[in-house]
């Protein structure tokens, strides 16, 4: 399958992503990882029980 980067971003974000924003898909393998993003980036959690914030 060949797709343009903008098309892949839209598929991951469930809609259009404008400008130079990046889409970060965070899965189970990123457990307790530190993710660095820029303002305007989209973060998608694709893991059961995933949440943002410090450990409970």
């Amino acid at each position: 399958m060949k797709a343009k980067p903008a098309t892949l971003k839209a598929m991951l974000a469930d809609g259009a992503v404008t400008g130079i924003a990046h889409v970060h898909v965070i899965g189970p393998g990123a457990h307790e990882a530190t993710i660095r993003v820029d303002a305007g980036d989209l973060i998608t959690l694709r893991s059961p029980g995933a949440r943002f914030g410090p450990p409970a």
Side-chain angles (χ1 to χ4, degrees):
M1 174 176 105
K2 289 188 178 184
K4 294 180 180 179
T7 302
L8 292 174
K9 285 182 185 182
M11 288 171 51
L12 291 170
D14 295 328
V17 178
T18 59
I20 60 171
H22 294 95
V23 176
H24 303 270
V25 180
I26 311 301
H31 181 68
E32 294 188 9
T34 300
I35 310 298
R36 290 177 175 79
V37 299
D38 289 321
D41 285 1
L42 176 69
I43 303 168
T44 305
L45 297 176
R46 301 282 181 165
S47 180
R51 63 180 176 79
F52 290 105

